[in-house]
Amino acid sequence: MKLTKLAAVAAVALTAASPALADLVFPSMSYRTGAFAAGGIPFADGYQDYFTLLNERDGGIGGEKISVPECETGYNTEKGVECYESLKGLNPLILQPLSTGITYQLIPKVTADGIPLHTMGYGRTSAANGKVFKWVFNYPGNYWDAASIMVKHALEQEGGSLEGKSIVLLYHNSAYGKEPIRTLEELSKKHGFKLTLIPVDSPGQEQKSQWLQIRREKPDYVFFWGWGVMNQVAVQEAANIRFPMDHFVGVWWSGAEPDVLPAGEGANGYKSANFTGTGKDYPIFADIQKYVVDTGKAAGDGTSLGQVQYNRGMYAAMLAAEAARKAQELSGVKAINAAQMRDGMEALQVTAARMAELGMPNFGPEVNVTCANHGGAGVGLIQQWDAGAKKWVAITDYISSDRSVIDPLIAEDSAAYAKENNITPRDCK
Amino acid sequence: MPEQLLFAAEVTLNGLMAGVMYSLVALGFVLIFKASGIFNYAQGVMALFAALTLVGIQDGQIPFSHLINTIFGTEMHDFGWHVPAFLAILLALGVMILFAIVVEKFILKHLVNQPPIILFMATIGLAYFMEGFGDLMWGSDIKKLDVGLPQGISGVIDETTFDWFGYGFFIDRLDIAATIVAAILVSVLVLFSQYTKQGRAMRAVADDHQAALSVGISLRFIWVLVWSIAGFVALVAGIMWGTKSGVQFSLSLIALKALPVLMLGGFTSIPGAIVGGLIVGVGEKLFEFAIGPMIGGATENWFAYMLALLFLVFRPQGLFGEKIIERV
């Protein structure tokens, strides 16, 4: 009897936890616990809040309600793969694993299972080649775009020439941290700067050796590819050795509020790349406040609205929702499936006018995805930390990456992947 | 003096300072292992929990506010006051003592006479419980810790060495503070264990539990005492590392830095933890300086363990550990 009751309770609980069959399922592979939670929580909140807004304000997408089942990856590759296995049964329309390590594991799986994978600003860079990576997308930019954007910013600061200058790449000693090396090597040949590579072992709590080396070598710029505690320690160490902070530029995963706040005034002037706007000065936040936060439906306590990672999560959700709309339009079906979603992603166009219509004017770069180009335009901006006001300020417009260097690298790397995995590239004509 | 030699001297000094930071973590392990034979897997998380508690108290944060707000629909986050650093440290210490009492009452008391592996397993469970409990109690955002410790390059050392050698050495003032604090901490611990009644009782329990019990020493009290002291050491380590990187959940990973120190210095020796820390600190920094660039860098993590392994091969009990001889 007891067992029957337990089974009934378990069945009810499972039913309650699973999305309704007709829902459009946009899972959130989040990391709200563990060493990287400070970056994972605001992103997950932004992602979820945007979909909650669409449900509450618009009744979903095209009249179809949205559900956002969440799975905790802890930013751990094994857990991420477990999440994938448990989520794929829910018929997800899109997966965003938020980790380069998890992405590498999921690429063959999603390709076999037919589920679109969106790795916005991370993951395997050459997945931008849609001819080889049919199910993987990394618009609006990738690591190589970020490296190129950072070099372009340095070029602008140096009056158009980096000849004879020196740049240190301080990077997380992992697949993630090593991603920009190839691009920077090519760019150093093109622009004549000396590139020095300095790796930091994970987690990066102790970086004394690396910063002593930087102090000795006195580079003109330090480009930074860190994550988690490595970010806070690096910013602090840079301040300690009095490195000019406006010549210290991080990738977009090293430029959020938690990365700079612990260093206090010392972090003032530190720069990073980004591909979304910062702050709450966009009309959409009034709607999020009204329909999501004030009604008690927010994923968090509402304090992270406008933060870098929150805005990024919101932008990721907006791109997913727009792709779903496109998919509905193309297929003529409201309750789309993963294959139709993929078609929608491949035909996605988010113009400046559309973003303004969504209450997000100039919030992110325009996106134009095609069969061959899953990486978008590859643009980003540079933001700078104002320690006094405790906020990031965009100091450039959107900068385009150097396609003449990046496109051949993408072609080369994706061709090697295709050969390794016996993939015949699609014909995208 | 040749430039490379100056750089090496600077690296060595910084290695010594980094070693002190590692020793601070290793000390907590040694204290508990020495007194109870338990390898406390939770020591890193204790440092995290202590630092979280300190910042929470200092900033007047309401514990479990997220949980309270979710259940009761309230909007409470902090009390609106700021507690002075010294008082906050005392209160955080109080919480760590309370934690020691709870650990003894709910875990250790029930595991008396169990094999060490069972106690080790219990501390693994404790570590994960505390990590989740700390998250629930204080939230998981990164917090700035400021108890008034200096930070940044020491101008005096920079200028003096520049006058002497034409090259200014970089020494972080936080590392200097950590060295002074560690020296005071070790002195107090040694004096306590040598010259106080409780300290002697602690040593007696460390030598032989049953003999200590037979002369009327309360094992339970000693365990509470030892875990309280380890909690205090964790608080000190948490302050030093938390000042450096902000208080965040990766703080618990500093335990990884303490392991090679323990293997090298021995699990039962307080001086061993210090000397082990210094050897690991200097060794890894010099290796990274001299050999790192030739083999792609990022050698510090594995080099520390390789160094410890080498010591293990020739001296399994560590440099200062006790050689246990069991006779049949």
Side-chain angles (χ1 to χ4, degrees):
Chain A
M1 183 62 189
K2 270 184 182 172
L3 274 176
T4 321
K5 270 186 184 172
L6 269 176
V9 170
V12 170
L14 271 175
T15 316
S18 310
L21 279 176
D23 282 351
L24 301 175
V25 182
F26 294 88
S28 170
M29 295 175 76
S30 60
Y31 44 100
R32 293 181 180 276
T33 61
F36 302 98
I41 292 172
F43 187 100
D45 287 352
Y47 195 70
Q48 201 148 25
D49 284 354
Y50 186 82
F51 287 122
T52 307
L53 173 69
L54 295 188
N55 270 342
E56 296 302 311
R57 189 190 60 188
D58 310 336
I61 302 170
E64 287 291 318
K65 282 277 184 185
I66 302 158
S67 71
V68 189
E70 196 161 341
C71 187
E72 170 71 32
T73 69
Y75 197 68
N76 174 296
T77 302
E78 290 80 24
K79 277 193 196 171
V81 174
E82 281 173 27
C83 274
Y84 172 78
E85 295 298 340
S86 67
L87 289 169
K88 77 175 181 188
L90 303 176
N91 299 320
L93 292 180
I94 183 173
L95 288 170
Q96 310 209 26
L98 293 184
S99 146
T100 296
I102 300 173
T103 301
Y104 270 71
Q105 295 303 313
L106 294 194
I107 287 174
K109 288 179 185 287
V110 296
T111 307
D113 296 336
I115 301 169
L117 190 72
H118 186 199
T119 61
M120 189 180 78
Y122 60 92
R124 186 175 187 124
T125 301
S126 61
N129 185 356
K131 290 179 183 174
V132 174
F133 296 91
K134 185 181 172 187
W135 291 91
V136 189
F137 298 79
N138 56 10
Y139 53 82
N142 56 53
Y143 293 132
W144 297 351
D145 293 324
S148 168
I149 289 162
M150 287 151 80
V151 169
K152 276 197 167 179
H153 177 64
L155 270 167
E156 195 191 312
Q157 277 204 315
E158 297 298 327
S161 171
L162 287 173
E163 195 66 47
K165 300 284 179 189
S166 58
I167 295 178
V168 159
L169 173 68
L170 184 73
Y171 66 97
H172 194 267
N173 196 22
S174 63
Y176 153 67
K178 288 175 184 169
E179 275 280 338
I181 292 175
R182 186 75 204 284
T183 313
L184 286 174
E185 282 171 348
E186 292 298 318
L187 288 167
S188 81
K189 281 183 218 156
K190 182 173 175 179
H191 297 292
F193 62 83
K194 181 189 165 213
L195 178 69
T196 307
L197 304 174
I198 304 184
V200 176
D201 263 336
S202 184
Q205 276 165 323
E206 172 57 38
Q207 299 175 29
K208 198 68 80 194
S209 298
Q210 289 78 11
W211 284 97
L212 283 176
Q213 188 182 344
I214 289 169
R215 187 168 176 266
R216 287 194 299 268
E217 297 196 2
K218 296 186 181 71
D220 295 292
Y221 288 88
V222 173
F223 287 175
F224 178 49
W225 237 261
W227 184 230
V229 67
M230 183 178 162
N231 290 351
Q232 292 87 38
V233 173
V235 172
Q236 183 63 60
E237 292 286 4
N240 286 351
I241 70 160
R242 295 175 188 158
F243 189 81
M245 295 305 268
D246 60 341
H247 282 55
F248 182 25
V249 191
V251 68
W252 38 58
W253 300 112
S254 306
E257 289 78 2
D259 301 327
V260 281
L261 281 170
E265 277 299 316
N268 191 48
Y270 168 65
K271 291 174 178 172
S272 89
N274 197 356
F275 50 81
T276 59
T278 55
K280 286 200 287 185
D281 201 12
Y282 298 92
I284 191 160
F285 284 105
D287 279 359
I288 288 190
Q289 188 69 38
K290 182 180 168 189
Y291 291 98
V292 184
V293 179
D294 292 348
T295 55
K297 294 191 168 87
D301 59 6
T303 53
S304 59
L305 266 68
Q307 286 184 8
V308 169
Q309 294 290 7
Y310 183 95
N311 286 10
R312 196 168 292 164
M314 214 174 74
Y315 183 66
M318 181 274 282
L319 292 178
E322 289 303 297
R325 265 185 240 282
K326 189 75 189 173
Q328 287 175 335
E329 183 193 317
L330 290 176
S331 63
V333 176
K334 296 295 178 194
I336 50 168
N337 60 28
Q340 288 160 337
M341 177 71 181
R342 197 209 69 83
D343 294 343
M345 290 170 80
E346 207 162 76
L348 180 65
Q349 281 192 324
V350 183
T351 60
R354 177 60 184 156
M355 276 188 285
E357 204 180 308
L358 293 168
M360 304 163 83
N362 204 30
F363 189 80
E366 291 187 322
V367 173
N368 187 7
V369 188
T370 64
C371 164
N373 179 6
H374 282 193
V379 295
L381 52 78
I382 299 291
Q383 58 181 10
Q384 189 167 33
W385 179 246
D386 180 345
K390 290 187 178 170
K391 65 173 189 180
W392 286 100
V393 180
I395 56 166
T396 68
D397 282 332
Y398 286 107
I399 302 169
S400 299
S401 57
D402 189 339
R403 304 315 309 176
S404 68
V405 170
I406 293 170
D407 287 344
L409 290 177
I410 288 176
E412 186 188 320
D413 193 69
S414 55
Y417 180 86
K419 195 177 169 193
E420 246 172 61
N421 294 278
N422 286 327
I423 296 170
T424 309
R426 292 189 292 160
D427 188 359
C428 277
K429 281 171 193 169
Chain B
M1 206 186 279
E3 207 177 38
Q4 285 302 312
L5 209 59
L6 283 173
F7 293 159
E10 184 189 33
V11 166
T12 306
L13 276 174
N14 276 279
L16 286 169
M17 302 280 181
V20 171
M21 296 285 275
Y22 303 158
S23 299
L24 277 176
V25 189
L27 268 177
F29 282 97
V30 168
L31 283 167
I32 290 181
F33 190 84
K34 198 170 158 62
S36 55
I38 301 172
F39 179 78
N40 180 23
Y41 185 86
Q43 190 64 34
V45 185
M46 279 169 68
L48 163 69
F49 185 76
L52 278 173
T53 306
L54 173 60
V55 183
I57 293 172
Q58 232 186 333
D59 294 346
Q61 198 185 335
I62 298 171
F64 305 106
S65 59
H66 188 71
L67 192 67
I68 294 168
N69 292 341
T70 306
I71 295 172
F72 300 106
T74 48
E75 279 294 326
M76 302 187 305
H77 297 288
D78 52 60
F79 295 111
W81 64 59
H82 186 84
V83 180
F86 184 69
L87 184 59
I89 290 172
L90 286 181
L91 290 170
L93 179 60
V95 172
M96 293 314 287
I97 292 171
L98 192 68
F99 164 76
I101 295 169
V102 170
V103 167
E104 194 283 328
K105 194 170 172 56
F106 292 103
I107 301 174
L108 299 179
K109 193 177 87 174
H110 304 284
L111 296 176
V112 173
N113 281 336
Q114 292 294 328
I117 187 71
I118 301 293
L119 289 157
F120 173 62
M121 294 294 198
T123 64
I124 293 179
L126 181 66
Y128 284 101
F129 171 76
M130 280 184 74
E131 201 166 300
F133 189 71
D135 190 346
L136 203 64
M137 194 167 171
W138 300 113
S140 54
D141 46 327
I142 299 172
K143 297 163 180 76
K144 181 172 169 57
L145 176 61
D146 185 6
V147 292
L149 288 170
Q151 224 174 341
I153 187 169
S154 162
V156 178
I157 294 174
D158 184 27
E159 284 160 24
T160 311
T161 46
F162 187 82
D163 288 342
W164 288 351
F165 312 116
Y167 174 75
F169 282 17
F170 171 84
I171 302 287
D172 189 348
R173 287 181 297 157
L174 178 66
D175 288 344
I176 298 172
T179 306
I180 295 167
V181 168
I184 295 170
L185 189 67
V186 171
S187 308
V188 169
L189 283 175
V190 169
L191 289 174
F192 176 79
S193 65
Q194 297 288 339
Y195 298 108
T196 65
K197 189 180 158 191
Q198 285 78 12
R200 282 196 293 269
M202 215 168 78
R203 282 164 54 210
V205 170
D207 276 351
D208 191 325
H209 284 186
Q210 288 185 336
L213 274 171
S214 71
V215 294
I217 294 171
S218 163
L219 197 59
R220 291 184 59 186
F221 171 73
I222 294 301
W223 277 359
V224 170
L225 182 68
V226 168
W227 278 74
S228 299
I229 296 172
F232 175 59
V233 173
L235 177 61
V236 174
I239 291 172
M240 295 304 166
W241 283 90
T243 303
K244 199 173 171 172
S245 62
V247 177
Q248 53 179 301
F249 277 73
S250 56
L251 204 63
S252 62
L253 302 176
I254 54 173
L256 295 175
K257 281 287 181 190
L259 281 182
V261 173
L262 291 167
M263 288 156 76
L264 216 147
F267 279 73
T268 52
S269 165
I270 291 173
I274 299 294
V275 176
L278 296 180
I279 293 175
V280 167
V282 173
E284 66 176 25
K285 296 282 179 287
L286 275 179
F287 188 82
E288 175 71 23
F289 170 71
I291 313 292
M294 294 178 215
I295 54 174
T299 60
E300 284 165 279
N301 276 6
W302 62 262
F303 180 77
Y305 281 91
M306 199 188 76
L307 195 65
L309 202 63
L310 272 177
F311 269 83
L312 270 187
V313 170
F314 295 103
R315 204 175 153 79
Q317 70 273 34
L319 272 179
F320 296 86
E322 291 157 15
K323 192 164 190 176
I324 299 161
I325 303 165
E326 290 186 8
R327 295 183 180 85
V328 180

